[in-house]
Amino acid sequence: MDKQQLSKDILKLVGGEENIDQVTHCMTRLRFNLNDNGKADKATLKNTPGVMGVMENGGQFQVIIGNDVPVVYNALVGNMSKSPDAKPAAAATGGKKKNPLSAVFDFISGVFTPILPAITGAGMIKGIVALLLTFGWIDATSSTYIILSAIGDGAFYFLPIILGISTARKLGSNMYIGAAIGASVMHPTITALLAPGENVSFIGLPVVAATYASSVIPILIAIWLASYVEKAIDKVTHASLKLIVVPTVTLLIIVPVMMIAVGPLGVIIGNGLTDGINWLFNNAGLFAGLLVGGAFSLLIITGMHYALVPIMIGSIATLGYDYLIPLMMVANFAQAGSALGVSLKSKNKQIKSLSASTGVTALMGITEPAMYGVNMRFKKPFVAALIGAAISGAFISFFQTKAYVIGGLAGLSGIPMIIGPTFVYALIGIVIAVVASAILTYILGFEDVPEAVPAAATTASAEPVTPVAADVNSSASAVSAVEEEKAQDQEVFSPMTGEVRPLSDVPDPAFSEEIMGKGFAIQPTEGRVVSPINGTVFSLSKSGHAIGLVSDNGAEMLIHIGIDTVKLKGQFFSPKVQAGAKVAVGDVLMEFDRKEIEKAGYTTITPVIVTNMHQYESIVSAGRTAIKEQELLYTAKA
């Protein structure tokens, strides 16, 4: 295939050079930030030879190419009159003006995802304390209760400090200045000064009384402003004085502005959103639950549910309860019910097993495998899940069912969140969601997969990666030479120790829809990757999260460690080889810190796929569920 012509076709079909604000690439995809996504001819692009697929994610327009992406990228850049990196990515300033809605969702997601472990852990402890207190297993006056309550309340009370760090990190400014801003308004003397409601002023300007404990919006606005102030001061300050001048001036400007204007405004906005949601459920509960419950899974798919997180936190902080969390829970349970319905209905043993396992996983609150790998794949089960969630949402909202803490996933592990006066209605709603969705899936039916389909038909999508440019052209030539020979069966040995999973369990459509190739995924229990074949390292991502290989028999392979781990920019990854290196089965390719990656909010599930499946007829599993390094994973049959 002529990569030059392909690059010209892509350049034209994305709307021309004038429509491109920025373009980068990972190991498999061209990633465009377009001025107007509507100008791209998505349908024609999908049917262009050499293009495996087209996706839009978070406002980014992605063209899936495969292993040839660096060659196509270089040709694309060569056809442009200006550098694709001339404009910086908008993340550092909080989002791109061209797509404000996507930028807002990306901002909120980027701020709250890293702090979810802290909030979840603290929320679970609050739920456990409430449970102990309800059953009389602990005394509310005991020191044990006081200590446990402090552990559960700490993350929420000092939320402005935690958010100050996370928001500054997202905006590319100094995280510790962000923490200092949050700490300033949480200082005990400030809290005491504002608590009585007396007249307070700063250099003659009135300071409006506001409670910052557990608040969300004031600190988000303040750190957003601080990112601009910090950068402006940094530009005009001599390098020798930056360490002193930049943080000093930023704090002196932002903290008073927050207390005089931003804080009160943020509190008003936060309370307004909370009061609006509560008014809706208090006055139109059944219909509100029907609408929100039925739409929640759609919000999760688009990432819009992150916009509700500040409202949930604010509602619990100010009122002591929230209406949205139970609706998110029943939406997840509905996805589980539909997957279990597929398991009951399907005649294909593999589909029955897959849907049952992903259904159980969804019951625990992890819905991506069931949603993407089963329900959306068969379409009607996904519709059944939306209807089941709507029915359940109407029921629980009619009885004004509430969550009383934030903690745990929105599944069985999150049950402590709903322990309270409306607990019984919440449990009934969960049962309705599961049963209704399962029954509707069984009644509506779906196009079942014939039993003859190979085991690897259930695969999943993966995230892109940025390959090292060195030796790519020579490696590509070697691959082309091997392709001219007749393909042979290729045994693929496990590159890591862990649990074997179908690709459909991978929460990325590029893998789950087999756009990139076929194979299996592994949920690792150790942080090491070894070569699954005898061959050559074709490419290695700069961030270290993906490795491309070509075997001596001509099989092209991709090992992709985790999903969206490209965003870690190499942190927690330690490559042991370079592109062009010859390797044998068992040679160490990569070491990574599995626990730290997961702490950062990323899954480490690792697709191990054959990308040139046009040379092979099928993938035959070795039949293992638990696997160790160098044990046979599957065979690509020529």
Side-chain angles (χ1 to χ4, degrees):
M1 180 181 297
D2 187 346
K3 304 301 187 300
Q4 272 287 345
Q5 186 57 48
L6 176 59
S7 68
K8 291 178 181 178
D9 292 341
I10 292 173
L11 185 61
K12 178 181 178 181
L13 292 171
V14 296
E17 182 178 348
E18 63 277 4
N19 195 38
I20 299 174
D21 183 70
Q22 186 186 34
V23 57
T24 58
H25 76 94
C26 57
M27 196 166 183
T28 57
R29 311 176 197 185
L30 295 170
R31 303 171 70 116
F32 291 93
N33 290 325
L34 301 178
N35 296 314
D36 183 358
N37 283 4
K39 291 183 178 180
D41 190 343
K42 197 172 181 179
T44 304
L45 266 173
K46 285 182 177 180
N47 295 318
T48 299
V51 174
M52 295 182 175
V54 178
M55 295 174 60
E56 290 186 62
N57 187 7
Q60 192 174 68
F61 193 87
Q62 302 175 4
V63 181
I64 304 171
I65 302 297
N67 287 339
D68 289 329
V69 69
V71 181
V72 177
Y73 172 81
N74 290 333
L76 181 82
V77 172
N79 290 323
M80 296 175 64
S81 60
K82 62 179 181 180
S83 169
D85 298 318
K87 298 180 182 179
T93 55
K96 291 174 64 63
K97 294 181 180 180
K98 72 179 183 63
N99 199 334
L101 188 61
S102 293
V104 168
F105 292 146
D106 176 71
F107 172 67
I108 294 175
S109 171
V111 168
F112 283 94
T113 297
I115 71 170
L116 284 180
I119 294 176
T120 297
M124 284 296 291
I125 292 170
K126 287 168 69 71
I128 292 170
V129 170
L131 187 64
L132 294 174
L133 200 60
T134 299
F135 286 97
W137 296 337
I138 193 171
D139 192 313
T141 60
S142 69
S143 58
T144 300
Y145 171 80
I146 293 172
I147 292 172
L148 286 175
S149 295
I151 296 172
D153 289 334
F156 292 96
Y157 184 84
F158 292 103
L159 193 59
I161 299 175
I162 297 174
L163 280 174
I165 295 171
S166 185
T167 306
R169 176 179 178 271
K170 173 63 179 174
L171 295 173
S173 52
N174 190 294
M175 295 185 292
Y176 303 103
I177 294 179
I181 293 170
S184 298
V185 297
M186 291 299 300
H187 195 282
T189 57
I190 297 297
T191 302
L193 181 68
L194 299 179
E198 299 178 359
N199 293 331
V200 179
S201 63
F202 177 77
I203 57 173
L205 297 173
V207 176
V208 181
T211 302
Y212 294 100
S214 303
S215 65
V216 173
I217 294 180
I219 193 70
L220 293 180
I221 298 175
I223 303 302
W224 175 70
L225 291 173
S227 68
Y228 286 98
V229 172
E230 182 183 338
K231 290 176 176 63
I233 301 301
D234 185 80
K235 285 182 179 179
V236 299
T237 304
H238 190 272
S240 62
L241 299 174
K242 287 181 187 292
L243 180 63
I244 298 173
V245 174
V246 174
T248 302
V249 176
T250 302
L251 288 171
L252 282 175
I253 293 175
I254 293 300
V255 175
V257 167
M258 182 176 179
M259 297 178 64
I260 293 168
V262 172
L265 176 62
V267 171
I268 291 171
I269 294 173
N271 290 341
L273 290 172
T274 300
D275 292 343
I277 292 291
N278 288 316
W279 181 91
L280 180 65
F281 283 95
N282 288 331
N283 293 276
L286 187 149
F287 298 103
L290 182 78
L291 178 62
V292 178
F296 225 113
S297 291
L298 298 174
L299 296 178
I300 292 172
I301 291 172
T302 60
M304 293 173 64
H305 64 296
Y306 282 107
L308 302 176
V309 173
I311 299 175
M312 295 175 185
I313 295 174
S315 181
I316 288 179
T318 57
L319 302 175
Y321 59 81
D322 176 67
Y323 288 114
L324 295 173
I325 293 173
L327 291 171
M328 181 166 59
M329 292 184 71
V330 298
N332 284 357
F333 279 108
Q335 293 294 335
S338 285
L340 295 174
V342 170
S343 181
L344 293 172
K345 182 83 170 179
S346 177
K347 304 298 182 184
N348 185 310
K349 291 180 181 179
Q350 292 173 338
I351 297 300
K352 290 176 76 72
S353 175
L354 170 66
S355 53
S357 63
T358 57
V360 171
T361 303
L363 288 175
M364 299 306 298
I366 304 171
T367 58
E368 285 87 351
M371 187 186 301
Y372 293 108
V374 177
N375 298 338
M376 292 181 68
R377 175 183 175 186
F378 293 112
K379 298 180 177 63
K380 288 183 180 179
F382 184 70
V383 174
L386 298 183
I387 297 173
I391 295 171
S392 176
F395 172 83
I396 64 174
S397 295
F398 180 78
F399 290 101
Q400 297 188 342
T401 305
K402 306 175 182 70
Y404 300 92
V405 296
I406 292 180
L409 298 170
L412 292 175
S413 62
I415 291 296
M417 295 191 292
I418 54 177
I419 294 176
T422 59
F423 183 53
V424 174
Y425 299 119
L427 291 182
I428 295 174
I430 288 171
V431 173
I432 291 173
V434 175
V435 174
S437 300
I439 292 174
L440 283 169
T441 296
Y442 199 90
I443 293 173
L444 292 175
F446 51 89
E447 187 176 344
D448 203 2
V449 177
E451 187 67 44
V453 172
T458 53
T459 53
S461 85
E463 161 217 35
V465 284
T466 309
V468 171
D471 295 328
V472 166
N473 291 332
S474 59
S475 297
S477 300
V479 172
S480 298
V482 172
E483 284 182 347
E484 293 177 0
E485 303 176 4
K486 180 176 175 59
Q488 304 175 32
D489 289 357
Q490 177 65 57
E491 289 186 329
V492 177
F493 298 89
S494 179
M496 54 178 58
T497 298
E499 178 189 354
V500 179
R501 306 273 286 275
L503 284 181
S504 55
D505 282 9
V506 183
D508 184 330
F511 294 111
S512 57
E513 296 174 10
E514 299 183 355
I515 294 174
M516 292 306 306
K518 294 184 179 182
F520 285 90
I522 299 174
Q523 183 64 59
T525 55
E526 299 178 1
R528 191 169 81 153
V529 180
V530 302
S531 178
I533 48 90
N534 296 325
T536 304
V537 177
F538 172 69
S539 58
L540 178 69
S541 67
K542 291 180 180 178
S543 57
H545 72 290
I547 305 162
L549 302 164
V550 56
S551 78
D552 292 338
N553 291 337
E556 297 176 34
M557 300 197 61
L558 172 66
I559 302 172
H560 195 283
I561 307 167
I563 301 303
D564 285 335
T565 44
V566 65
K567 296 177 182 177
L568 292 172
K569 297 181 179 179
Q571 190 178 14
F572 310 131
F573 291 94
S574 178
K576 302 302 178 184
V577 294
Q578 295 181 346
K582 293 288 292 184
V583 291
V585 173
D587 287 352
V588 179
L589 304 178
M590 175 75 61
E591 291 180 354
F592 61 96
D593 194 326
R594 179 178 61 85
K595 292 182 179 180
E596 289 299 323
I597 292 171
E598 291 172 350
K599 280 183 183 179
Y602 298 92
T603 177
T604 53
I605 190 169
T606 300
V608 182
I609 62 173
V610 175
T611 57
N612 59 333
M613 278 305 298
H614 62 280
Q615 291 186 262
Y616 298 91
E617 292 185 358
S618 63
I619 297 290
V620 178
S621 170
R624 291 183 171 88
T625 53
I627 199 164
K628 295 181 179 179
E629 289 179 6
Q630 301 185 54
E631 290 184 339
L632 183 63
L633 177 61
Y634 61 82
T635 301
K637 305 293 288 186

